[in-house]
Amino acid sequence: MQGHKLIYHNNIFSEIEIVKNLQTEIFGRKEIHIFNETDSTNIQAFRIAEGGAAEGSIIIAESQTGGKGRLGRKWISPSGKNLYLSMIIRPQIPVINAPRLTIVTAAALSETLDSIGVSAHKIKWPNDMLFDGKKLSGILAEMKGDGSTINFIIIGVGVNINSTADNYPDEIKDSVISLKEITGSEVDRIKFLNSFLLHFEKNYLDFLQGRFPEIIDKWIIKSEIINQKINVTDYNNTFTGIVTGITPDGNLILKTGNGTCYVSSGDINFLE
Ligand code: BTN
């Protein structure tokens, strides 16, 4: 616990419980910032990392007023129900390999869900966790670096833990699901957080030691995307084709009517 520091921001999450149950060596062993309400834990984490916070520092909030999703979307963050977590990492890896960290995170999240019996979840490319086709969690990684060096990466993770449909606006309430709705009972957010941090730490250290191929194998099994006919829409374009593989960075290899294309981000729909 050397170097461990707790910073209070008018929280109601129990910081003492978090530390008491931690089994990690790095994550949650540096700074823990807990907010009752914040705009976005990723924004806070970015600021805290710019101030020099060590790898392994974590930021959590009871609610977010400006939770950020992928592709500029909002992440609806009802108060006191779910997990809104951002982790600071400072990997010494080539910038080009940074996207791999979202795959590492998804693999860790998937293992955490398996560990509480929610093994029927699926990873929807690139990194959404779905259950019964509904969204259970999402990952948003943001990096600060220059062209060749990573200064830090913020890994943001949102998991719907105890929320219910009435916590969401009408437009999305039928497309989201929580662990409470899946398992039929309240899930302890702190236990889930601790378990996730442990799984993340293990996968992250494996990744740093060159074991990314094993991690991507786990991820592919849960994503059930190979050989599927899909269309994928990014900001401006839609591509249709059969997924023939995944590149080492998690990009889709898509066989289309015009040849092969590689897609790094977007939303997919299964067509058959
Ligand atoms: C997505 O699926 O679009 C990604 C959602 C990521 C949401 C989490 S919640 C904690 C962290 N803070 C944010 O503002 N976003 C991420």
Side-chain angles (χ1 to χ4, degrees), residues 95-246:
V95 171
I96 198 168
N97 290 347
R100 298 181 181 192
L101 267 319
T102 53
I103 293 171
V104 172
T105 310
L109 210 36
S110 176
E111 286 176 353
T112 311
L113 293 172
D114 285 346
S115 76
I116 58 163
V118 182
S119 46
H121 66 276
K122 301 265 177 293
I123 300 176
K124 183 181 178 196
W125 181 89
N127 290 306
D128 294 351
M129 295 292 155
L130 300 189
F131 191 95
D132 273 353
K134 297 180 178 190
K135 188 137 166 175
L136 179 57
S137 80
I139 297 165
L140 179 67
E142 298 182 283
M143 180 177 81
K144 179 167 182 189
D146 57 33
S148 59
T149 324
I150 294 172
N151 187 346
F152 58 79
I153 298 176
I154 306 301
I155 309 259
V157 179
V159 186
N160 300 334
I161 297 202
N162 292 317
S163 52
T164 45
D166 56 317
N167 297 132
Y168 295 95
D170 286 350
E171 316 83 82
I172 63 162
K173 70 177 184 204
D174 294 331
S175 59
V176 290
I177 195 164
S178 71
L179 291 177
K180 179 180 172 183
E181 290 169 321
I182 296 167
T183 63
S185 51
E186 291 257 327
V187 170
D188 184 323
R189 288 183 300 162
I190 292 180
K191 278 196 188 139
F192 188 91
L193 167 67
N194 285 336
S195 172
F196 170 70
L197 290 175
L198 189 60
H199 282 105
F200 178 78
E201 181 166 297
K202 188 181 171 311
N203 280 277
Y204 178 60
L205 295 178
D206 281 352
F207 166 74
L208 292 180
Q209 282 156 20
R211 289 196 280 278
F212 187 63
E214 288 92 318
I215 294 170
I216 206 158
D217 283 351
K218 289 190 278 189
W219 180 84
I220 285 176
I221 290 169
K222 283 287 193 193
S223 66
E224 294 184 347
I225 199 172
I226 307 295
N227 295 327
Q228 298 295 315
K229 185 168 185 194
I230 62 159
N231 68 34
V232 53
T233 306
D234 69 8
Y235 288 98
N236 298 313
N237 304 302
T238 299
F239 307 94
T240 302
I242 307 233
V243 180
T244 56
I246 304 276

Side-chain angles (χ1 to χ4, degrees), residues 39-43 64 66-70 73 75 77 83-86 128 135 137-140 156-158:
D39 44 1
S40 152
T41 57
N42 266 30
I43 293 174
Q64 302 182 115
K68 298 199 286 178
R70 283 193 315 116
R73 294 185 185 128
W75 186 257
S77 310
L83 180 64
Y84 315 116
L85 163 73
S86 298
D128 294 351
K135 188 137 166 175
S137 80
I139 297 165
L140 179 67
V157 179

